[in-house]
Coordinates of all heavy atoms in Angstrom, one line a residue:
V446 N 28.8 -80.5 -32.3 CA 29.6 -81.4 -32.9 C 30.1 -80.9 -34.2 O 31.3 -81.1 -34.6 CB 28.9 -82.8 -33.1 CG1 29.7 -83.8 -33.9 CG2 28.5 -83.4 -31.7
L447 N 29.3 -80.2 -35.0 CA 29.7 -79.7 -36.3 C 30.6 -78.5 -36.1 O 31.5 -78.3 -36.9 CB 28.4 -79.2 -37.1 CG 27.5 -80.3 -37.5 CD1 26.3 -79.7 -38.2 CD2 28.2 -81.3 -38.5
L448 N 30.4 -77.7 -35.1 CA 31.2 -76.5 -34.9 C 32.6 -76.7 -34.4 O 33.5 -76.1 -35.0 CB 30.4 -75.5 -34.0 CG 31.1 -74.2 -33.7 CD1 31.3 -73.3 -34.9 CD2 30.3 -73.4 -32.6
V449 N 32.7 -77.5 -33.4 CA 34.0 -77.5 -32.7 C 35.0 -78.5 -33.4 O 34.6 -79.4 -34.1 CB 33.8 -78.0 -31.2 CG1 32.8 -77.1 -30.5 CG2 33.4 -79.4 -31.2
R450 N 36.3 -78.2 -33.1 CA 37.3 -79.1 -33.6 C 37.3 -80.3 -32.7 O 36.9 -80.3 -31.5 CB 38.7 -78.4 -33.5 CG 38.7 -77.2 -34.5 CD 40.0 -76.4 -34.4 NE 40.0 -75.3 -35.4 CZ 39.5 -74.1 -35.2 NH1 38.9 -73.9 -34.0 NH2 39.6 -73.2 -36.1
P451 N 37.8 -81.5 -33.2 CA 37.8 -82.7 -32.4 C 38.4 -82.5 -31.0 O 37.9 -83.1 -30.0 CB 38.6 -83.7 -33.2 CG 38.4 -83.2 -34.6 CD 38.4 -81.7 -34.5
R452 N 39.5 -81.8 -30.8 CA 40.2 -81.6 -29.5 C 39.4 -80.8 -28.6 O 39.6 -80.8 -27.4 CB 41.6 -81.0 -29.7 CG 41.6 -79.6 -30.2 CD 43.0 -79.0 -30.3 NE 43.1 -77.7 -30.7 CZ 43.1 -77.3 -32.0 NH1 43.1 -78.2 -32.9 NH2 43.2 -76.0 -32.3
Q453 N 38.4 -80.0 -29.1 CA 37.5 -79.2 -28.3 C 36.2 -79.9 -27.9 O 35.5 -79.3 -27.0 CB 37.2 -77.9 -29.0 CG 38.4 -77.0 -29.4 CD 37.9 -75.8 -30.3 OE1 37.1 -76.0 -31.2 NE2 38.4 -74.7 -30.0
L454 N 35.9 -81.0 -28.5 CA 34.6 -81.6 -28.3 C 34.3 -82.0 -26.9 O 33.2 -81.7 -26.3 CB 34.4 -82.8 -29.2 CG 33.1 -83.5 -29.2 CD1 32.0 -82.5 -29.6 CD2 33.0 -84.7 -30.2
L455 N 35.3 -82.6 -26.2 CA 35.0 -83.1 -24.9 C 34.8 -82.0 -23.9 O 33.8 -82.0 -23.1 CB 36.3 -83.9 -24.4 CG 36.2 -84.4 -22.9 CD1 35.0 -85.4 -22.8 CD2 37.5 -85.2 -22.6
A456 N 35.6 -80.9 -24.0 CA 35.4 -79.8 -23.1 C 34.1 -79.0 -23.4 O 33.4 -78.6 -22.4 CB 36.6 -78.8 -23.2
T457 N 33.7 -79.0 -24.6 CA 32.5 -78.3 -25.0 C 31.3 -79.0 -24.5 O 30.4 -78.4 -23.9 CB 32.4 -78.1 -26.5 OG1 33.6 -77.4 -27.0 CG2 31.2 -77.3 -26.9
V458 N 31.2 -80.3 -24.7 CA 30.0 -81.1 -24.3 C 30.0 -81.1 -22.8 O 28.9 -81.1 -22.2 CB 30.1 -82.5 -24.9 CG1 29.0 -83.4 -24.3 CG2 30.0 -82.5 -26.4
T459 N 31.2 -81.2 -22.1 CA 31.2 -81.2 -20.6 C 30.7 -79.9 -20.1 O 29.9 -79.9 -19.1 CB 32.7 -81.4 -20.2 OG1 33.1 -82.7 -20.6 CG2 32.7 -81.4 -18.6
A460 N 31.0 -78.7 -20.7 CA 30.5 -77.4 -20.3 C 29.0 -77.4 -20.4 O 28.3 -76.9 -19.6 CB 31.2 -76.3 -21.1
F461 N 28.5 -77.9 -21.6 CA 27.0 -77.9 -21.8 C 26.3 -78.8 -20.7 O 25.3 -78.4 -20.1 CB 26.7 -78.5 -23.2 CG 25.3 -78.5 -23.5 CD1 24.5 -77.4 -23.6 CD2 24.6 -79.8 -23.7 CE1 23.1 -77.5 -23.9 CE2 23.3 -79.9 -24.0 CZ 22.5 -78.7 -24.1
T462 N 26.9 -79.9 -20.4 CA 26.4 -80.8 -19.4 C 26.4 -80.2 -18.0 O 25.4 -80.2 -17.3 CB 27.2 -82.1 -19.3 OG1 27.1 -82.8 -20.6 CG2 26.7 -83.0 -18.2
L463 N 27.5 -79.6 -17.6 CA 27.6 -78.9 -16.3 C 26.6 -77.8 -16.2 O 25.9 -77.7 -15.1 CB 29.0 -78.4 -16.1 CG 29.3 -77.6 -14.8 CD1 29.0 -78.5 -13.6 CD2 30.7 -77.0 -14.8
A464 N 26.4 -77.0 -17.2 CA 25.5 -75.9 -17.2 C 24.1 -76.3 -17.0 O 23.4 -75.8 -16.1 CB 25.7 -75.0 -18.4
H465 N 23.6 -77.2 -17.8 CA 22.2 -77.6 -17.7 C 21.9 -78.4 -16.5 O 20.8 -78.4 -15.9 CB 21.6 -78.2 -19.0 CG 22.1 -79.6 -19.3 ND1 21.9 -80.7 -18.5 CD2 22.8 -80.1 -20.4 CE1 22.4 -81.7 -19.1 NE2 23.0 -81.4 -20.2
S466 N 23.0 -79.1 -15.9 CA 22.8 -79.8 -14.7 C 22.6 -78.8 -13.5 O 21.8 -79.0 -12.6 CB 24.0 -80.6 -14.4 OG 24.2 -81.6 -15.4
L467 N 23.3 -77.7 -13.6 CA 23.2 -76.6 -12.5 C 21.8 -76.0 -12.5 O 21.1 -75.9 -11.4 CB 24.2 -75.5 -12.7 CG 25.7 -75.9 -12.4 CD1 26.6 -74.8 -12.8 CD2 25.8 -76.3 -10.9
T468 N 21.3 -75.6 -13.7 CA 20.0 -75.0 -13.7 C 18.8 -76.0 -13.4 O 17.8 -75.7 -12.9 CB 19.7 -74.3 -15.0 OG1 20.1 -75.1 -16.1 CG2 20.5 -73.0 -15.1
L469 N 19.0 -77.2 -13.9 CA 18.0 -78.3 -13.6 C 17.9 -78.5 -12.1 O 16.8 -78.6 -11.6 CB 18.4 -79.6 -14.3 CG 17.6 -80.8 -14.1 CD1 16.1 -80.5 -14.5 CD2 18.1 -82.0 -14.8
A470 N 19.0 -78.6 -11.4 CA 19.0 -78.8 -10.0 C 18.4 -77.6 -9.3 O 17.6 -77.7 -8.3 CB 20.4 -79.0 -9.4
A471 N 18.8 -76.4 -9.7 CA 18.2 -75.1 -9.1 C 16.7 -75.0 -9.3 O 16.0 -74.6 -8.4 CB 18.9 -73.9 -9.7
A472 N 16.2 -75.5 -10.5 CA 14.8 -75.4 -10.8 C 14.0 -76.5 -10.0 O 13.0 -76.2 -9.4 CB 14.6 -75.5 -12.2

Side-chain angles (χ1 to χ4, degrees):
V446 174
L447 293 175
L448 176 65
V449 304
R450 298 175 175 85
R452 66 176 182 275
Q453 298 174 315
L454 183 59
L455 178 60
T457 302
V458 174
T459 300
F461 180 66
T462 296
L463 177 61
H465 70 63
S466 298
L467 290 174
T468 48
L469 175 59

